[in-house]
Amino acid sequence: MEFRYEIEGGNFSRAGHASSAVKKILKQLNVDNRVIKRVVVALYEGEVNVVAHADKGSMLVDIDEQRIKIRIEDTGPGIPDIDLAMQAGFSTASAAVREMGFGAGMGLPNMKKNTDQMRVTSEVGKGTQVEMITWFSQ
Amino acid sequence: MKVRELIEKMGLRLFSGELCLDKDISGGYVSDLLSDVMGNAAEGQVWITLQNHKNIMAVASLKELAAVILVKGQAPDTDTMAHSIEEQVPILGTDQEAFETAGMLYQLLNQ
């Protein structure tokens, strides 16, 4: 099953909509609650990253019996140094975004921690792609 | 303890979500960083924060928190309240600071 959600850059009032929709689907599919809890963290952080940093993006979710595959891609500034971006506490978020309690440099680390596999690719000036896979049973 | 009893015992304001006060409280979490709550709070906890914008409800709902307590007299905007009702996570409030609020909640949950 494939689902696709558009994410609007800069629009914080809609941040979380896509994640919430995917969570509902996983619940309906009776996926193990512990798995849902982890996946939801990764989904939300990925969605917020697009809202906070990119012009626009999309979340593509592919679910089969064994796993959920999430691909989040955006058109935006890209990440010059992915290793640095993966470090907990490193952030390029604006002061306004930080004031809302985002931009603490925990997004990408949270995503990595809560998925089984994660791959980030990016091109500066063009955009970023994040692919995450989580297996339903170990 | 249920959210309803917590409101009564702590003298909290109820901003929204009066139809979902029968949730059991499993504990508390204090943070104003949304990613921190996202990564570390657990289902059924009460989240103490001074953030009052709409995004707190997305986090509270995704994490299935029992309620949010806004400290220092903060009030949610209409959007945040609408989201709270939709997601069935009550928003409560107090004039006290996070320290006192957390202390009181801790005491109530551990007596």
Side-chain angles (χ1 to χ4, degrees):
Chain A
M1 270 178 280
E2 281 194 359
F3 303 90
R4 188 192 160 94
Y5 303 90
E6 300 307 319
I7 307 167
E8 211 180 310
N11 187 356
F12 276 95
S13 77
R14 280 194 63 80
H17 271 73
S19 309
S20 173
V22 177
K23 182 185 173 188
K24 280 184 189 125
I25 292 168
L26 293 171
K27 287 216 157 187
Q28 274 165 21
L29 291 172
N30 277 323
V31 171
D32 185 334
N33 219 14
R34 285 165 301 182
V35 174
I36 297 181
K37 282 195 163 76
R38 294 181 69 216
V39 168
V40 156
V41 177
L43 285 166
Y44 183 73
E45 295 288 6
E47 188 175 353
V48 165
N49 276 348
V50 175
V51 176
H53 298 284
D55 303 324
K56 61 175 180 173
S58 60
M59 181 188 280
L60 196 73
V61 178
D62 176 6
I63 304 167
D64 68 18
E65 280 174 11
Q66 273 92 44
R67 52 108 183 99
I68 172 168
K69 197 160 103 186
I70 305 154
R71 185 179 166 83
I72 300 173
E73 48 188 21
D74 69 47
T75 313
I79 303 172
D81 185 338
I82 292 171
D83 287 339
L84 186 60
M86 289 298 304
Q87 279 180 27
F90 179 81
S91 174
T92 58
S94 69
V97 167
R98 284 171 200 249
E99 212 157 280
M100 292 173 82
F102 292 113
M106 299 169 81
L108 286 168
N110 261 356
M111 288 157 76
K112 192 174 171 61
K113 199 171 131 191
N114 286 286
T115 48
D116 295 334
Q117 277 175 48
M118 175 166 124
R119 196 166 64 108
V120 184
T121 50
S122 187
E123 196 176 332
V124 173
K126 288 203 164 166
T128 301
Q129 305 80 39
V130 181
E131 210 166 78
M132 298 174 283
I133 297 176
T134 293
W135 303 90
F136 293 148
S137 58
Q138 296 297 333
Chain B
M1 186 185 299
K2 294 197 187 299
V3 175
R4 189 183 302 282
E5 296 164 61
L6 186 74
I7 295 173
E8 196 183 306
K9 288 191 171 146
M10 285 180 65
L12 301 168
R13 271 192 292 279
L14 170 64
F15 288 114
S16 54
E18 54 194 316
L19 296 180
C20 31
L21 300 179
D22 289 315
K23 289 186 195 174
D24 283 312
I25 299 169
S26 67
Y29 200 78
V30 190
S31 183
D32 298 322
L33 295 176
L34 275 66
S35 282
D36 178 34
V37 178
M38 210 55 220
N40 300 301
E43 184 178 344
Q45 287 182 339
V46 172
W47 175 18
I48 298 169
T49 183
L50 50 74
Q51 298 286 358
N52 61 351
H53 53 84
K54 192 183 170 186
N55 295 276
I56 59 170
M57 294 325 297
V59 172
S61 141
L62 286 167
K63 297 297 286 186
E64 297 177 33
L65 302 181
V68 179
I69 302 178
L70 304 184
V71 295
K72 294 171 82 175
Q74 295 278 0
D77 50 35
T78 340
D79 250 16
T80 311
M81 284 199 274
H83 207 174
S84 146
I85 295 164
E86 219 173 282
E87 300 294 345
Q88 305 190 341
V89 181
I91 304 179
L92 318 174
T94 174
D95 287 330
Q96 288 189 313
E97 295 186 1
F99 178 73
E100 284 84 17
T101 311
M104 219 184 216
L105 176 65
Y106 186 88
Q107 210 169 20
L108 282 171
L109 292 178
N110 287 284
Q111 60 186 212

